[in-house]
Amino acid sequence: MPRIAVLPGDGIGVEIVPQAIRVLDIVGRKYNLDFSYTEGLIGGAAVDATGTPLPDETIELCENSDAILLGAVGGPKWDNLPVAQRPEAAALLPLRKKLGLYANIRPSILYEPLVDASTLKREVILGTDIVTIRELTGGLYFGEKKREKKETGEEVAIDTLIYSTSEIERITRLAFEVARNRRKKVTSVDKANVLESSRLWREVTKQVHQDYPDVELEHMYVDNAAMQLVRRPTQFDVIVTENMFGDILTDQASMLTGSIGMLPSASIGGKVALYEPSHGSAPDIAGQDKANPLATILSAAMMLEYSFKELDGAREIQEAVNKVLAKGYRTPDIMEEGKILVGTREMGDLVCQELGDG
Ligand code: IPM
Ligand code: MG
């Protein structure tokens, strides 16, 4: 029986995760995957209950599961805690690191019914289908950080950006593998005109590319990539980039799909993979049944695909989402005139119905 660790976390996390579990359950039964679910504490919820945002029991639970479904962590209540207790810095990032999840896969797919929900023009975003592969356990996020006092008494803060050849090699190799099953184009995003780490990134990427002559490789500076993403998103197939650039570019790319509430993610590379929506805990709408559960539901689809190799089940979920949207149902983040406004739970109901339940 495949075991799933469920970490709802904070804010809207506790509202969206149950909707994804309902969907997983229906599809799992159809495909003879009798999932068992065990809930664990993470983030502010864990701080409140145990004093620490990433309790040892949660790490153990994750390590002993076949896949992890996470909601979101953080919120104003915990923003002023010391760094060692902050949900983002002391829970999410160490969890990714401990589990060896060096690759974060974020697909930005425009579901056609949402073509007018984006702030961008329909003719620009039509046909958007990008997979961004973000390096997740290196770079500025994990390099040494410190504060120092200069002789003048002024304070300086230092963040360190480090990448090794092996870190670059494994992530770019994954990008070429993914591109091989798609439109066979990789755009490697860096800032090689300024950063030494980017120059190494570019060198290693070129070397790895020699093993993938059937895939086209282009290099693009991150500033240009930010511009090209909104100028002509259909030029991209697979984007591979370092941690911080990937964080920024994937939020931007989410608007190509109408809302960040549509953007799922899979973090892979270790024994157990982690699936979470790309958005945060949205404290401003938490507890109001307003959050869009589709990014989490689509993350569950990615779980079926990557952890359980159940591609048909994954496609079924994506199709169900598309149908619900085509019928005009919208959570507030993707609402347009003339559409039917629904809450978090009802959106979950609708996807379940489409999947033949209820
Ligand atoms: C993301 C988030 C996280 C990140 C935060 C919450 C630390 O923005 O998953 O994109 O920067 O990785
Ligand atoms: Mg982010």
Side-chain angles (χ1 to χ4, degrees), residues 235-253:
Q235 71 186 281
F236 295 104
D237 176 16
V238 174
I239 294 175
V240 63
T241 191
E242 65 95 47
N243 204 344
M244 180 75 134
F245 295 160
D247 179 44
I248 299 168
L249 290 179
T250 50
D251 263 34
Q252 182 172 341

PDB file of all heavy atoms in Angstrom, residues 235-253:
ATOM      1  N   GLN A 235       8.121  30.365 -27.326  1.00  0.00           N
ATOM      2  CA  GLN A 235       9.464  30.003 -27.791  1.00  0.00           C
ATOM      3  C   GLN A 235      10.133  29.022 -26.826  1.00  0.00           C
ATOM      4  O   GLN A 235      11.136  28.416 -27.148  1.00  0.00           O
ATOM      5  CB  GLN A 235      10.344  31.249 -27.938  1.00  0.00           C
ATOM      6  CG  GLN A 235      10.746  31.879 -26.606  1.00  0.00           C
ATOM      7  CD  GLN A 235      11.496  33.204 -26.764  1.00  0.00           C
ATOM      8  OE1 GLN A 235      12.672  33.218 -27.056  1.00  0.00           O
ATOM      9  NE2 GLN A 235      10.779  34.297 -26.597  1.00  0.00           N
ATOM     10  N   PHE A 236       9.577  28.885 -25.587  1.00  0.00           N
ATOM     11  CA  PHE A 236      10.225  28.036 -24.592  1.00  0.00           C
ATOM     12  C   PHE A 236       9.602  26.645 -24.536  1.00  0.00           C
ATOM     13  O   PHE A 236       8.388  26.498 -24.632  1.00  0.00           O
ATOM     14  CB  PHE A 236      10.112  28.665 -23.192  1.00  0.00           C
ATOM     15  CG  PHE A 236      10.846  29.972 -23.053  1.00  0.00           C
ATOM     16  CD1 PHE A 236      10.151  31.175 -23.045  1.00  0.00           C
ATOM     17  CD2 PHE A 236      12.234  29.996 -22.943  1.00  0.00           C
ATOM     18  CE1 PHE A 236      10.823  32.383 -22.923  1.00  0.00           C
ATOM     19  CE2 PHE A 236      12.912  31.202 -22.817  1.00  0.00           C
ATOM     20  CZ  PHE A 236      12.209  32.396 -22.804  1.00  0.00           C
ATOM     21  N   ASP A 237      10.473  25.656 -24.325  1.00  0.00           N
ATOM     22  CA  ASP A 237      10.017  24.287 -24.088  1.00  0.00           C
ATOM     23  C   ASP A 237      10.437  23.912 -22.654  1.00  0.00           C
ATOM     24  O   ASP A 237       9.627  23.946 -21.732  1.00  0.00           O
ATOM     25  CB  ASP A 237      10.635  23.363 -25.132  1.00  0.00           C
ATOM     26  CG  ASP A 237      10.287  21.902 -24.911  1.00  0.00           C
ATOM     27  OD1 ASP A 237       9.342  21.624 -24.164  1.00  0.00           O
ATOM     28  OD2 ASP A 237      10.968  21.030 -25.488  1.00  0.00           O
ATOM     29  N   VAL A 238      11.728  23.632 -22.458  1.00  0.00           N
ATOM     30  CA  VAL A 238      12.244  23.354 -21.117  1.00  0.00           C
ATOM     31  C   VAL A 238      13.228  24.459 -20.732  1.00  0.00           C
ATOM     32  O   VAL A 238      14.126  24.787 -21.505  1.00  0.00           O
ATOM     33  CB  VAL A 238      12.960  21.982 -21.079  1.00  0.00           C
ATOM     34  CG1 VAL A 238      13.626  21.764 -19.712  1.00  0.00           C
ATOM     35  CG2 VAL A 238      11.972  20.862 -21.366  1.00  0.00           C
ATOM     36  N   ILE A 239      13.019  25.044 -19.571  1.00  0.00           N
ATOM     37  CA  ILE A 239      13.959  26.041 -19.036  1.00  0.00           C
ATOM     38  C   ILE A 239      14.687  25.387 -17.872  1.00  0.00           C
ATOM     39  O   ILE A 239      14.052  24.757 -17.021  1.00  0.00           O
ATOM     40  CB  ILE A 239      13.208  27.297 -18.527  1.00  0.00           C
ATOM     41  CG1 ILE A 239      12.538  28.037 -19.688  1.00  0.00           C
ATOM     42  CG2 ILE A 239      14.150  28.242 -17.768  1.00  0.00           C
ATOM     43  CD1 ILE A 239      11.676  29.227 -19.255  1.00  0.00           C
ATOM     44  N   VAL A 240      16.002  25.506 -17.823  1.00  0.00           N
ATOM     45  CA  VAL A 240      16.735  25.003 -16.661  1.00  0.00           C
ATOM     46  C   VAL A 240      17.540  26.155 -16.085  1.00  0.00           C
ATOM     47  O   VAL A 240      18.151  26.929 -16.809  1.00  0.00           O
ATOM     48  CB  VAL A 240      17.625  23.787 -17.015  1.00  0.00           C
ATOM     49  CG1 VAL A 240      18.721  24.127 -18.017  1.00  0.00           C
ATOM     50  CG2 VAL A 240      18.244  23.187 -15.746  1.00  0.00           C
ATOM     51  N   THR A 241      17.485  26.285 -14.753  1.00  0.00           N
ATOM     52  CA  THR A 241      18.165  27.427 -14.149  1.00  0.00           C
ATOM     53  C   THR A 241      18.460  27.203 -12.675  1.00  0.00           C
ATOM     54  O   THR A 241      17.964  26.260 -12.072  1.00  0.00           O
ATOM     55  CB  THR A 241      17.343  28.716 -14.381  1.00  0.00           C
ATOM     56  OG1 THR A 241      18.136  29.849 -14.012  1.00  0.00           O
ATOM     57  CG2 THR A 241      16.053  28.721 -13.563  1.00  0.00           C
ATOM     58  N   GLU A 242      19.288  28.078 -12.127  1.00  0.00           N
ATOM     59  CA  GLU A 242      19.698  27.921 -10.727  1.00  0.00           C
ATOM     60  C   GLU A 242      18.565  28.344  -9.786  1.00  0.00           C
ATOM     61  O   GLU A 242      17.552  28.885 -10.215  1.00  0.00           O
ATOM     62  CB  GLU A 242      21.013  28.676 -10.468  1.00  0.00           C
ATOM     63  CG  GLU A 242      20.934  30.191 -10.613  1.00  0.00           C
ATOM     64  CD  GLU A 242      20.695  30.874  -9.286  1.00  0.00           C
ATOM     65  OE1 GLU A 242      21.372  30.540  -8.305  1.00  0.00           O
ATOM     66  OE2 GLU A 242      19.809  31.748  -9.221  1.00  0.00           O
ATOM     67  N   ASN A 243      18.765  28.099  -8.516  1.00  0.00           N
ATOM     68  CA  ASN A 243      17.709  28.190  -7.517  1.00  0.00           C
ATOM     69  C   ASN A 243      16.960  29.537  -7.490  1.00  0.00           C
ATOM     70  O   ASN A 243      15.744  29.598  -7.669  1.00  0.00           O
ATOM     71  CB  ASN A 243      18.348  27.893  -6.152  1.00  0.00           C
ATOM     72  CG  ASN A 243      17.355  27.394  -5.130  1.00  0.00           C
ATOM     73  OD1 ASN A 243      16.157  27.531  -5.312  1.00  0.00           O
ATOM     74  ND2 ASN A 243      17.851  26.823  -4.045  1.00  0.00           N
ATOM     75  N   MET A 244      17.698  30.611  -7.292  1.00  0.00           N
ATOM     76  CA  MET A 244      17.074  31.927  -7.138  1.00  0.00           C
ATOM     77  C   MET A 244      16.415  32.417  -8.428  1.00  0.00           C
ATOM     78  O   MET A 244      15.284  32.915  -8.405  1.00  0.00           O
ATOM     79  CB  MET A 244      18.160  32.931  -6.700  1.00  0.00           C
ATOM     80  CG  MET A 244      17.639  34.320  -6.499  1.00  0.00           C
ATOM     81  SD  MET A 244      16.727  34.397  -4.969  1.00  0.00           S
ATOM     82  CE  MET A 244      17.398  35.889  -4.315  1.00  0.00           C
ATOM     83  N   PHE A 245      17.125  32.241  -9.563  1.00  0.00           N
ATOM     84  CA  PHE A 245      16.513  32.649 -10.841  1.00  0.00           C
ATOM     85  C   PHE A 245      15.222  31.855 -11.063  1.00  0.00           C
ATOM     86  O   PHE A 245      14.224  32.386 -11.543  1.00  0.00           O
ATOM     87  CB  PHE A 245      17.469  32.399 -12.015  1.00  0.00           C
ATOM     88  CG  PHE A 245      18.737  33.213 -11.999  1.00  0.00           C
ATOM     89  CD1 PHE A 245      19.847  32.808 -12.746  1.00  0.00           C
ATOM     90  CD2 PHE A 245      18.844  34.380 -11.262  1.00  0.00           C
ATOM     91  CE1 PHE A 245      21.022  33.548 -12.749  1.00  0.00           C
ATOM     92  CE2 PHE A 245      20.022  35.130 -11.256  1.00  0.00           C
ATOM     93  CZ  PHE A 245      21.113  34.704 -12.006  1.00  0.00           C
ATOM     94  N   GLY A 246      15.263  30.569 -10.703  1.00  0.00           N
ATOM     95  CA  GLY A 246      14.104  29.709 -10.914  1.00  0.00           C
ATOM     96  C   GLY A 246      12.936  30.109 -10.034  1.00  0.00           C
ATOM     97  O   GLY A 246      11.781  30.040 -10.445  1.00  0.00           O
ATOM     98  N   ASP A 247      13.240  30.545  -8.821  1.00  0.00           N
ATOM     99  CA  ASP A 247      12.183  31.008  -7.919  1.00  0.00           C
ATOM    100  C   ASP A 247      11.446  32.184  -8.548  1.00  0.00           C
ATOM    101  O   ASP A 247      10.215  32.223  -8.601  1.00  0.00           O
ATOM    102  CB  ASP A 247      12.798  31.415  -6.570  1.00  0.00           C
ATOM    103  CG  ASP A 247      11.752  31.938  -5.601  1.00  0.00           C
ATOM    104  OD1 ASP A 247      10.677  31.306  -5.502  1.00  0.00           O
ATOM    105  OD2 ASP A 247      11.991  32.976  -4.968  1.00  0.00           O
ATOM    106  N   ILE A 248      12.227  33.130  -9.051  1.00  0.00           N
ATOM    107  CA  ILE A 248      11.639  34.357  -9.596  1.00  0.00           C
ATOM    108  C   ILE A 248      10.920  34.090 -10.923  1.00  0.00           C
ATOM    109  O   ILE A 248       9.770  34.500 -11.120  1.00  0.00           O
ATOM    110  CB  ILE A 248      12.738  35.430  -9.779  1.00  0.00           C
ATOM    111  CG1 ILE A 248      13.368  35.771  -8.420  1.00  0.00           C
ATOM    112  CG2 ILE A 248      12.167  36.679 -10.448  1.00  0.00           C
ATOM    113  CD1 ILE A 248      14.644  36.582  -8.500  1.00  0.00           C
ATOM    114  N   LEU A 249      11.593  33.380 -11.815  1.00  0.00           N
ATOM    115  CA  LEU A 249      11.007  33.170 -13.150  1.00  0.00           C
ATOM    116  C   LEU A 249       9.738  32.325 -13.109  1.00  0.00           C
ATOM    117  O   LEU A 249       8.843  32.509 -13.923  1.00  0.00           O
ATOM    118  CB  LEU A 249      12.030  32.531 -14.091  1.00  0.00           C
ATOM    119  CG  LEU A 249      13.197  33.426 -14.529  1.00  0.00           C
ATOM    120  CD1 LEU A 249      14.132  32.645 -15.446  1.00  0.00           C
ATOM    121  CD2 LEU A 249      12.724  34.700 -15.224  1.00  0.00           C
ATOM    122  N   THR A 250       9.649  31.374 -12.151  1.00  0.00           N
ATOM    123  CA  THR A 250       8.440  30.543 -12.133  1.00  0.00           C
ATOM    124  C   THR A 250       7.227  31.314 -11.603  1.00  0.00           C
ATOM    125  O   THR A 250       6.109  31.066 -12.023  1.00  0.00           O
ATOM    126  CB  THR A 250       8.625  29.234 -11.329  1.00  0.00           C
ATOM    127  OG1 THR A 250       9.174  29.527 -10.041  1.00  0.00           O
ATOM    128  CG2 THR A 250       9.525  28.274 -12.067  1.00  0.00           C
ATOM    129  N   ASP A 251       7.438  32.253 -10.696  1.00  0.00           N
ATOM    130  CA  ASP A 251       6.304  33.104 -10.308  1.00  0.00           C
ATOM    131  C   ASP A 251       5.841  33.918 -11.518  1.00  0.00           C
ATOM    132  O   ASP A 251       4.651  34.071 -11.771  1.00  0.00           O
ATOM    133  CB  ASP A 251       6.695  34.077  -9.175  1.00  0.00           C
ATOM    134  CG  ASP A 251       6.290  33.557  -7.799  1.00  0.00           C
ATOM    135  OD1 ASP A 251       6.328  32.320  -7.600  1.00  0.00           O
ATOM    136  OD2 ASP A 251       5.948  34.373  -6.917  1.00  0.00           O
ATOM    137  N   GLN A 252       6.797  34.437 -12.246  1.00  0.00           N
ATOM    138  CA  GLN A 252       6.437  35.209 -13.429  1.00  0.00           C
ATOM    139  C   GLN A 252       5.711  34.321 -14.444  1.00  0.00           C
ATOM    140  O   GLN A 252       4.676  34.703 -14.983  1.00  0.00           O
ATOM    141  CB  GLN A 252       7.683  35.816 -14.072  1.00  0.00           C
ATOM    142  CG  GLN A 252       7.306  36.666 -15.277  1.00  0.00           C
ATOM    143  CD  GLN A 252       8.485  37.435 -15.830  1.00  0.00           C
ATOM    144  OE1 GLN A 252       9.487  37.634 -15.159  1.00  0.00           O
ATOM    145  NE2 GLN A 252       8.347  37.883 -17.048  1.00  0.00           N
ATOM    146  N   ALA A 253       6.260  33.124 -14.682  1.00  0.00           N
ATOM    147  CA  ALA A 253       5.668  32.208 -15.671  1.00  0.00           C
ATOM    148  C   ALA A 253       4.259  31.783 -15.269  1.00  0.00           C
ATOM    149  O   ALA A 253       3.448  31.413 -16.115  1.00  0.00           O
ATOM    150  CB  ALA A 253       6.557  30.985 -15.856  1.00  0.00           C
TER     151      ALA A 253
END
